[in-house]
Amino acid sequence: MGTKTVDETGAETGAEATTDEEKVDVTKTDAPDEVTETETEAEDGDELFEADTEAQAEGPSGVGQGAGAVVSAGLGVVSLTGGWISTVAAARETLVGQLQTSSTASVATQIKEVYGDAWHTTALWGGLFALAALIVGVVVLARPAFGAPAKPQAPWIKSVAWAGVSLGVIGLLLAVLKYTDVLLGLPSAS
């Protein structure tokens, strides 16, 4: 072990003595590292801002059009398969028909009031869903003509929108055929 002594001036001497320069190291500071981190964060923020401005300059992303296309196809499927709204409406119409028809009414009147009106209600709701699918699909397909014509619509959006339009047309045709009793009309009571 070394010894440390203090001379007349008060300076330490010996093996463990340190100089003033070693005690206080003024060349090392943490400030430049902090500035570098701040500068890096600012550069990252600038890059994100530039990416956002470039995306806005390119135009709409097509998310709304894609969602509209999927909604159109979903409405078309509901028009063909039926939904809970048409089921509830048909059940209600059956109940109303049972309540309003007397037990002395003819069989033809009972069939029409109890089952025929419910069948027409189901066809009406199917037609409304088909019409909604058709309208939404056409709007999605026509949207690029009124928006940013330079940016083409994604192919999958067109495909799904055309599927919605097709299902809407088929659903509307089936609803009209059911409502007019051309397709699965009521049986005769004779």
Side-chain angles (χ1 to χ4, degrees), residues 100-127:
Q100 291 180 351
T101 305
S102 67
S103 59
T104 59
S106 69
V107 174
T109 304
Q110 288 179 357
I111 288 175
K112 181 194 173 302
E113 291 296 324
V114 175
Y115 300 107
D117 290 347
W119 181 248
H120 291 151
T121 301
T122 303
L124 181 66
W125 278 100

Side-chain angles (χ1 to χ4, degrees), residues 71-160:
V71 167
S72 173
L75 288 170
V77 169
V78 170
S79 75
L80 295 177
T81 61
W84 65 270
I85 292 176
S86 62
T87 304
V88 169
R92 182 184 183 283
E93 198 61 40
T94 300
L95 181 61
V96 168
Q98 289 173 349
L99 292 173
Q100 291 180 351
T101 305
S102 67
S103 59
T104 59
S106 69
V107 174
T109 304
Q110 288 179 357
I111 288 175
K112 181 194 173 302
E113 291 296 324
V114 175
Y115 300 107
D117 290 347
W119 181 248
H120 291 151
T121 301
T122 303
L124 181 66
W125 278 100
L128 290 175
F129 278 108
L131 187 61
L134 187 62
I135 290 170
V136 171
V138 167
V139 166
V140 169
L141 290 172
R143 172 66 176 100
F146 300 105
K151 185 175 180 183
Q153 195 174 38
W156 73 269
I157 294 174
K158 287 182 183 178
S159 298
V160 175

Side-chain angles (χ1 to χ4, degrees), residues 2-20:
T3 59
K4 186 170 30 168
T5 58
V6 179
D7 66 4
E8 302 169 358
T9 62
E12 297 176 349
T13 59
E16 292 183 3
T18 57
T19 63
D20 288 341

